[in-house]
Amino acid sequence: MVEHKQSRFFLRNFALFLLPVFVSLMLLGSISIAITQKFVREEIDRKDSILLGQIMAAIEVMLNEMDSLNLNFGTNPEINFGLKRILRSDPYSLTNTEIDKLSMIRNFIDAPANSRPYIHSIYVYMNNDYGRFLTTTEGLTSLDTFFDTQWFVRSQTFPAESLMWTEVRNIRQYAFERESKRILSIYRRLFSSGVARTDGVIVLNINAAYIENLLSSLRIYPEQRLLISDGEGNVLFGNPPEGFSAKVSVSDTENSYSVSRLESRRYGWNYISVVPTEIIYDIPSRLSLITFGVFVLSALMGLTITYVLTRRNYRNIQNIISIIDSAENDQPLPPGPSGVHDEYGYIVQNLLKTFIERSYLKVQLSERMYRTRTIELLALQSQMNPHFLFNTLETINWKILGFTGKPNEANEMITNLSDVLQYSLRGDQREVSLEEEIENTRSYIAIQKVRYRDKFEVIWDWDEELLECGVMKLLLQPLVENSIYHGIKTIKGSAAIFITIRSAGETLELTVRDTGKGISPEDLEKIRDSIKEEREEKDLSHHIGLYNTNKRLKLLYGKEYGLFIDSLPGKGTTVTAVLPLHIS
């Protein structure tokens, strides 16, 4: 039986203490793995975006060489007409002037070809009966003798509306070459000035190997593949190009690869990065193994510690039960522990102390009950006194009305005072509607107007839709009282009090501004510090209403709300109460 109870105690401890730890560990591990995987994927996407941007910029620098060639041969009349006249003339009848002109024109294509390592060759062809054209490899030559004529055939087959196009070709410069060389040919049609039809073509040949080496040098991961395809998905260049078909489809690779793509708006090419997903899941997989290992280790350690603590705690609990049973049966208490070594020793020691001091505690309990009853009677008595005052005012009001036979100023003052007193005593509300607060403040102002006559006037300004908003009870009255007694009472002549109520976002602002004597900068700083630090300055006790109102606002709504005070000596004082905007 004892072993059965001990087993249940062990299982309960395991469920209470270790299961939450294991669940937390698994949740933490799962969340960490998910966050790490997301971070790795985002980091790969970010690096791929930067990498593809760099590749596109480098490739378009090569492709933009065609713009420079077009400027020279397509828009420069001197070069355009000069080359056209040379190509259409009898090759054996060139004058010295034409030969010099040809040498100058050739410099325009030789210079970039010699200075740019990625340029294989440049051809410039203008329509002529001899099939002649200008190259960077052999100078002035003809289609009959030149090793590469495929470009000419292709230029004749492209649609007439195509201004510029590209293709990857394989060429052999010499007959004895066993392997052909891959080049990227960029075609650009030439037009003579004032002529709408094409007058020739420029062919810029770029070494494909240079571009593929560039892709190899820029890749971030050894397993990463960088591809360049045209608008139809045909692979133009790759690193390495093998392993993919001639057509690249993102949907074909997204299951086992992370694919990023950047499109060139000018040339319609797609720059593609393909990264195996195993790179993305490498770190999360390691983290999963570590989490599993920590979980197994924690389980073994937890089971061992739970078993040891369960045996010890069970014995201690048995001792406690024995003490309680002895006390209930009026039997001698067993000896207590020699010292406090753990929480159970502390419990046993306190149990013994509790039984010893039982009689003293009963006396204390009786005394506390007596004090509680006394406090309740005092509270009831303090509650009766204000109600007695209110009832007395009502009796005086009817007596005055009976003496005079008609309402007068005394009746109005007593009525307003009764309204203010009734408003203050009504229920235990901490919040009322803005409309109720305004009516109570009007009653208070009416009392003050009888005393001070034309000493001040009050101008109200509020939005009607705010009347249902909830505000702290007795909020405006202390602010108006502060303006009357500390701003207006001691000045010569009359003054004004402006009460403005507006909403500002999610807050409600109630502003009381007077045109009284104002507050000196020194006193204003003390008042602000007192309100900010929620402490009452002894020498500022005449502003106790502001201090109490600010403290009530913060207790009711929170530290971010309260009173804000501005003042200029001789100009007046502005007090703004800020509280949350809500419907009561």
Side-chain angles (χ1 to χ4, degrees):
M1 186 65 178
V2 174
E3 292 181 357
H4 177 67
K5 289 183 177 180
Q6 188 171 343
S7 299
R8 290 176 55 190
F9 195 49
F10 170 78
L11 293 176
R12 187 181 63 181
N13 285 345
F14 179 79
L16 288 176
F17 301 107
L18 291 183
L19 282 183
V21 174
F22 293 157
V23 171
S24 300
L25 183 61
M26 294 303 296
L27 287 177
L28 180 61
S30 301
I31 294 172
S32 300
I33 292 169
I35 293 175
T36 303
Q37 180 179 329
K38 182 176 180 294
F39 173 77
V40 173
R41 180 179 290 276
E42 291 177 351
E43 186 67 12
I44 289 177
D45 291 342
R46 185 185 68 83
K47 290 182 178 179
D48 282 351
S49 178
I50 296 173
L51 174 63
L52 295 179
Q54 293 175 343
I55 294 174
M56 184 176 73
I59 297 299
E60 292 196 353
V61 166
M62 304 178 193
L63 302 182
N64 289 340
E65 292 288 344
M66 180 59 77
D67 294 336
S68 176
L69 294 172
N70 183 59
L71 286 175
N72 290 325
F73 292 94
T75 61
N76 190 324
E78 181 181 0
I79 297 176
N80 184 284
F81 291 125
L83 180 60
K84 187 186 301 183
R85 186 169 54 252
I86 292 172
L87 295 177
R88 294 177 180 177
S89 301
D90 186 346
Y92 300 104
S93 61
L94 294 178
T95 65
N96 290 333
T97 302
E98 290 175 333
I99 293 174
D100 292 339
K101 174 76 72 173
L102 177 62
S103 177
M104 179 198 68
I105 293 173
R106 184 175 178 182
N107 287 334
F108 285 107
I109 61 174
D110 286 346
N114 294 330
S115 60
R116 310 287 193 271
Y118 48 82
I119 295 180
H120 175 271
S121 57
I122 301 174
Y123 308 153
V124 182
Y125 172 82
M126 290 187 172
N127 297 333
N128 63 91
D129 298 333
Y130 302 100
R132 302 169 70 199
F133 60 98
L134 186 64
T135 73
T136 54
T137 55
E138 297 187 11
L140 189 62
T141 184
S142 66
L143 295 170
D144 296 335
T145 60
F146 197 63
F147 68 92
D148 179 21
T149 58
Q150 182 186 16
W151 64 270
F152 181 77
V153 177
R154 296 290 291 165
S155 67
Q156 303 302 311
T157 59
F158 275 94
E161 63 272 11
S162 297
L163 177 65
M164 186 174 177
W165 63 93
T166 60
E167 68 170 338
V168 177
R169 302 187 298 121
N170 294 313
I171 63 172
R172 283 194 180 94
Q173 188 169 355
Y174 303 102
F176 58 82
E177 289 183 341
R178 294 184 178 180
E179 295 183 359
S180 58
K181 179 177 291 186
R182 291 180 72 245
I183 63 170
L184 169 67
S185 293
I186 306 171
Y187 298 82
R188 175 70 182 249
R189 294 192 187 279
L190 286 174
F191 296 89
S192 298
S193 178
V195 180
R197 60 183 178 80
T198 181
D199 205 20
V201 65
I202 301 177
V203 182
L204 173 63
N205 298 314
I206 295 178
N207 288 315
Y210 184 90
I211 297 178
E212 290 169 352
N213 291 336
L214 176 66
L215 298 179
S216 298
S217 64
L218 290 178
R219 63 181 178 177
I220 301 174
Y221 310 100
E223 302 86 355
Q224 184 178 25
R225 293 176 178 177
L226 300 173
L227 305 173
I228 302 176
S229 67
D230 58 18
E232 298 178 356
N234 297 309
V235 175
L236 302 178
F237 306 100
N239 171 46
E242 63 272 9
F244 288 90
S245 60
K247 293 259 185 186
V248 174
S249 173
V250 174
S251 61
D252 294 337
T253 58
E254 63 182 1
N255 291 330
S256 50
Y257 297 93
S258 173
V259 181
S260 300
R261 181 171 61 182
L262 181 64
E263 182 178 358
S264 171
R265 295 183 179 179
R266 181 173 183 183
Y267 297 100
W269 286 9
N270 291 313
Y271 298 84
I272 304 170
S273 169
V274 183
V275 179
T277 53
E278 60 187 25
I279 294 178
I280 300 176
Y281 296 109
D282 181 47
I283 295 178
S285 298
R286 296 181 184 178
L287 189 58
S288 299
L289 292 176
I290 294 174
T291 302
F292 180 76
V294 172
F295 176 81
V296 172
L297 182 61
S298 300
L300 294 176
M301 293 178 61
L303 289 172
T304 303
I305 294 174
T306 302
Y307 178 76
V308 172
L309 292 179
T310 298
R311 287 180 58 86
R312 189 190 68 179
N313 294 342
Y314 185 77
R315 288 195 300 269
N316 291 329
I317 290 175
Q318 288 295 101
N319 293 334
I320 294 174
I321 293 174
S322 176
I323 293 174
I324 295 174
D325 289 340
S326 300
E328 289 179 348
N329 298 323
D330 292 330
Q331 296 178 357
L333 297 178
S338 57
V340 178
H341 303 289
D342 53 21
E343 64 275 12
Y344 288 99
Y346 177 79
I347 292 173
V348 170
Q349 206 171 60
N350 277 272
L351 280 174
L352 296 174
K353 183 179 179 181
T354 299
F355 284 115
I356 294 172
E357 297 177 348
R358 180 170 49 186
S359 299
Y360 175 72
L361 291 176
K362 286 183 179 180
V363 174
Q364 280 192 326
L365 180 59
S366 299
E367 184 179 353
R368 288 183 181 180
M369 291 177 64
Y370 172 77
R371 289 180 180 178
T372 301
R373 183 60 180 169
T374 302
I375 291 173
E376 288 178 352
L377 292 174
L378 290 176
L380 182 59
Q381 181 180 357
S382 65
Q383 186 177 12
M384 292 173 61
N385 291 334
H387 283 285
F388 173 75
L389 176 60
F390 174 73
N391 294 329
T392 302
L393 287 174
E394 288 292 321
T395 303
I396 294 173
N397 185 38
W398 285 106
K399 286 290 185 181
I400 293 174
L401 186 61
F403 290 147
T404 60
K406 60 179 180 179
N408 51 58
E409 284 189 350
N411 293 115
E412 293 179 4
M413 288 186 67
I414 292 176
T415 300
N416 287 325
L417 180 58
S418 297
D419 291 341
V420 171
L421 185 59
Q422 187 179 25
Y423 179 80
S424 303
L425 297 175
R426 186 177 59 202
D428 57 351
Q429 293 173 295
R430 293 188 298 174
E431 268 196 338
V432 295
S433 68
L434 177 61
E435 185 175 11
E436 292 179 281
E437 181 67 15
I438 290 175
E439 289 303 320
N440 175 70
T441 307
R442 283 182 179 275
S443 298
Y444 171 77
I445 292 173
I447 296 173
Q448 297 295 347
K449 290 288 287 184
V450 173
R451 177 182 179 185
Y452 290 102
R453 300 291 179 182
D454 298 328
K455 185 68 175 179
F456 66 89
E457 61 175 337
V458 179
I459 295 92
W460 291 85
D461 182 17
W462 70 74
D463 294 334
E464 292 293 332
E465 60 269 19
L466 299 178
L467 292 178
E468 296 300 322
C469 292
V471 298
M472 184 180 72
K473 189 175 180 181
L474 293 175
L475 172 59
L476 284 174
Q477 179 183 328
L479 306 186
V480 175
E481 181 180 359
N482 184 76
S483 294
I484 294 173
Y485 284 99
H486 303 301
I488 297 174
K489 179 179 177 181
T490 59
I491 67 171
K492 294 181 179 181
S494 60
I497 298 176
F498 299 88
I499 303 177
T500 305
I501 304 172
R502 292 284 186 271
S503 62
E506 297 182 356
T507 60
L508 182 65
E509 297 182 356
L510 297 88
T511 302
V512 178
R513 179 173 65 87
D514 64 69
T515 58
K517 67 176 183 179
I519 305 172
S520 66
E522 295 79 10
D523 288 344
L524 179 61
E525 188 66 25
K526 291 180 180 179
I527 294 172
R528 285 175 173 172
D529 290 344
S530 176
I531 288 177
K532 180 179 179 182
E533 299 177 11
E534 298 185 25
R535 56 180 173 81
E536 182 181 355
E537 296 285 354
K538 293 182 179 179
D539 56 343
L540 295 177
S541 58
H542 51 286
H543 288 286
I544 187 65
L546 296 181
Y547 172 82
N548 287 339
T549 303
N550 178 73
K551 190 168 185 178
R552 288 169 57 220
L553 281 171
K554 292 186 179 298
L555 288 173
L556 183 58
Y557 298 115
K559 296 292 185 181
E560 64 270 27
Y561 302 102
L563 297 182
F564 299 88
I565 305 174
D566 287 304
S567 184
L568 288 175
K571 300 293 183 181
T573 301
T574 300
V575 181
T576 300
V578 180
L579 57 152
L581 177 65
H582 65 277
I583 302 300
S584 62

